[in-house]
Amino acid sequence: MPTERPSAAPPSSDAAVPAAGAHPSLQSTEVGRQELARTLVAVESVVPALRLLVGLAIAALIILALYLGQALLIPLALACLMGFLLDPAVTRLQRWGLPRLVATLMVVALALGTIGGLGAYLGNQVADLSADLPKYQKTIRTKLRNLRTLARGPSMWEGAVRTYSTVEQEMAAPSADTGRVQQVEVVRDEDKPVLRLAQWLGKVSEPLTQAGIVLLFVILILLDRDDLRDRLLRLMGGNPHVATDAMDEAAHRIGRYLRMQCIVNVAYGVPMAAGLWLIGVPGAILWGVLAMVMRFVPYVGPLVAAVFPLALAFAVAPGWDMLMWTLALVLVLELVSNHIVEPWLYGSSTGLSTLAIIIAATFWTALWGPIGLILSTPLTACCLVLGRYLPGLQFLEVLLGSQPVMDAPHRLYQRLLAEDVSDAIALARSDIVQRLPARPTVADKAAAVEGFYGQVALPALKLACKHHAEAATVEHRMRLSNGMEDLLEELTEDYPGAPGLADAAACGRVHCVGARWAVDAWAARMLAHSLQLQGLPATSASHALAPDRGLDAIGDWQEVQWLVLSTLHGQPHILLRQWLRRIRRRYPQLQVVLALWNVSPEGLQGEDLQRLGVQALVTSLHEAVLRIQQAASPVPTTAQGCVPARRPLHEAQRLQHLQRSGALDAGCTEVYRNAALKAAHAFDVKYAQVSLVDADWVHTPGGLLVHGGVPPASPGLPRDASICAYVVQEGQSVVVDSLARDPRFADNPWLRRAGIQFYAGVPLVDAAGMVLGSLCILHDAPRNMDAAGLAVLQGMAREVMQQVQARAQGATGAPPAA
């Protein structure tokens, strides 16, 4: 039961009175300290409100500045947008050897020429179309007359409409004594031609001026890109890493968004023009280009672009077929573009949620008008990037981003607390499905379920332990208990083990039991289910051990070979020693494994297995499965104690590709050496190497790790002793945070002699998709590897294979056979 923590009581009135007979200076000092303490408490209570007010005031000032400075900020924003769009072309020309000024002028001139030529062509189209419009007047009158006749015809609402019209006329009729009202119309003198010309020039000069300012800004931005970037980096603070990452991400998101927007618009406008041409609508190319241009305006643009071809289809054909076909074409293109093309091309280019895009469009439109609507998505993407990299603006990422603001363990824990069991089960199923390949095998399903338990469910149980005595109420604990029971039952039914492995009436060879609380029992059930999916006869107890219940109340463990004692307590040593003594006295034949889920591997370094009387200590579900799997079903080892990796099914074909690829040539050693040095420097590790897995030997030419006893002419190690052979076996990346905690490599003499504690390897894949080996990094201390770092290592592996293939192609004069 959680203990009640005494609250800090306010100081009593007696405490404020100094002791009798105390020196006056001491009395004044004590009173001053008490007054200072009260003042500090009052200030601390006011500080959050002041921060909120200051933040709101700053936000109001920024919005006011954006509104008042729109005459300057709108052209600058448009110029930045065009700069993001044109800068890749300028950079490409500069790489080809042209000066920056020449490349900028060429790209700008090409863009202006394209816009001018397109405008001239569209102007001719508009002129031809306007000349043909009088021909369609008869058709328009006939259709409008038919619509008017249809509208005036009797309907089910005719009586109600007539009654309402009569009442409205009677109420609007003037009284008898009211005189007639004479309508007075003020006729203005016709403006003089000079005034009309001045008015026309005034209307035209403003957009021309804005266009000139935008053009000037675009040229300056393209010319001084590097200098502007340096100045922005300086303004963003003294940390160049954060500022560089923020600017790179903003440029990448906005540039990719604009390029994808152009592709989407072209993919919409070309079918629109072709479809209108087949239907027979005049000016099909004009309306296709208009659709392309107007789709740059979110939400409103496609509607405006669709009005013109629909109106023309209504006016041209005497019947209604052309109008219906045109409407069907617009609807089909909108559905295909919005639900297929845009999600496929955009992906996560902006990282904004749908609600954030709509709210941003409303905000920027109210602030800057139609131009704000066009700029809303790029500007909001910049705000998202600022919120990601600046701690003071982190709320922007939470409000605008499309990524979940809570990780999977927190979401699962919250769903269970909210008694939303169906959503928790859906979250678990979705997580498991995302871990499965396209064609999952039984082993893939077992690994996916184990991954969910180890990376989502167990961390959620750790959160439950943390909040058990701090914030959880009785109702919360009951919801968690009921929800977790339902979740585990559903997953057991969705992914059952082999028949007969989980007999509830008896204990299997491997029996998992919780040490004290319900969370311990749930973790034991997860481990038992994972072992069943691996084909082991594992069971679990429905309740955890408790001090008031003896071992007889738990069950008979005479047939049990391996007992797994599961606990999520942070410091369970005293409790576990008590239980282990009782278990040893009653069941001396048991092999005991302690699963300490809430203890870090570093905290187990001082534990003595013999002193505790257990066979193994594990801290993660994956480690527990490997340990028990190896103990219950021993894997054949080599004479040196290594656990060799299995050969893949296509091993003979893979070896042929390795021999023909040219990767084993001595000329590639320098490529491998450079890759190893680059990887070791980038990841700040001690060793790195390129490993080429042959039939019985793993070649490591140019590697930074030299294995003892290996001749210099043949660097490497036996295949059965190499971790890189597991990369070939799995066909994907392999990361081992702590080799000492992994039973496959803990007793490997080659790794122990080299002092290796961390390994991360990614496959080297040739043009035919065969895994020839791996690019790996190694370190003499345990480390963690995140997804971003693994992606960088995979990119380096692709570069190595590109260099090897280029060298082989240059030597033979033909590309490597696929």
Side-chain angles (χ1 to χ4, degrees), residues 109-351:
L110 180 62
L112 290 177
T114 302
I115 295 174
L118 186 60
Y121 176 77
L122 295 180
N124 293 331
Q125 292 288 319
V126 171
D128 295 340
L129 187 60
S130 62
D132 295 336
L133 284 179
K135 303 177 183 178
Y136 311 135
Q137 293 181 3
K138 182 179 178 181
T139 304
I140 295 174
R141 292 194 189 98
T142 302
K143 287 187 175 181
L144 291 177
R145 191 179 300 114
N146 294 336
L147 289 175
R148 192 181 302 112
T149 302
L150 182 63
R152 291 177 178 177
S155 65
M156 59 182 299
W157 305 104
E158 187 67 23
V161 172
R162 288 182 178 179
T163 303
Y164 176 78
S165 300
T166 302
V167 173
E168 185 180 17
Q169 292 174 3
E170 290 295 331
M171 294 179 63
S175 58
D177 56 345
T178 304
R180 295 184 61 187
V181 179
Q182 184 177 2
Q183 182 178 1
V184 179
E185 181 179 359
V186 178
V187 180
R188 299 179 57 188
D189 293 336
E190 185 177 358
D191 293 333
K192 296 180 179 181
V194 178
L195 294 178
R196 290 201 302 269
L197 179 61
Q199 293 175 357
W200 182 81
L201 290 177
K203 294 179 180 179
V204 173
S205 62
E206 183 177 357
L208 289 179
T209 304
Q210 295 284 346
I213 295 174
V214 170
L215 178 61
L216 179 61
F217 279 161
V218 168
I219 296 176
L220 293 177
I221 289 174
L222 292 176
L223 285 176
D224 298 333
R225 183 199 62 172
D226 295 335
D227 183 65
L228 290 175
R229 181 181 58 187
D230 295 341
R231 295 180 184 277
L232 289 176
L233 289 174
R234 182 64 177 172
L235 289 175
M236 292 181 66
N239 190 341
H241 301 88
V242 174
T244 302
D245 292 343
M247 291 197 63
D248 289 345
E249 183 174 350
H252 173 74
R253 287 182 182 273
I254 296 175
R256 186 174 185 273
Y257 167 75
L258 292 176
R259 290 188 289 272
M260 292 301 105
Q261 181 74 45
C262 292
I263 296 175
V264 169
N265 292 359
V266 171
Y268 181 88
V270 172
M272 173 68 77
L276 293 177
W277 179 77
L278 292 175
I279 294 172
V281 178
I285 298 179
L286 172 64
W287 308 128
V289 174
L290 180 64
M292 279 190 281
V293 174
M294 292 304 296
R295 284 188 69 87
F296 280 103
V297 182
Y299 311 113
V300 180
L303 298 178
V304 175
V307 169
F308 296 99
L310 289 173
L312 199 57
F314 172 80
V316 171
W320 298 92
D321 294 342
M322 182 178 290
L323 178 62
M324 293 295 102
W325 280 109
T326 305
L327 180 61
L329 175 65
V330 172
L331 294 177
V332 169
L333 288 179
E334 284 292 331
L335 290 175
V336 172
S337 179
N338 294 335
H339 298 282
I340 298 177
V341 179
E342 289 184 3
W344 174 48
L345 290 178
Y346 284 164
S348 57
S349 59
T350 61

Side-chain angles (χ1 to χ4, degrees), residues 774-810:
S774 73
L775 171 63
C776 61
I777 56 176
L778 309 98
H779 200 55
D780 55 0
R783 295 186 60 171
N784 294 323
M785 186 76 164
D786 56 6
L790 196 62
V792 173
L793 191 61
Q794 291 169 348
M796 299 177 69
R798 287 191 294 268
E799 291 180 2
V800 170
M801 289 305 301
Q802 290 173 0
Q803 296 179 29
V804 171
Q805 292 169 2
R807 185 182 179 280
Q809 182 177 356

Side-chain angles (χ1 to χ4, degrees), residues 501-527:
L501 291 181
D503 188 4
C507 296
R509 290 180 55 199
V510 181
H511 189 58
C512 306
V513 62
R516 187 178 181 90
W517 304 109
V519 288
D520 301 336
W522 297 331
R525 288 182 60 180
M526 295 177 191
L527 177 57

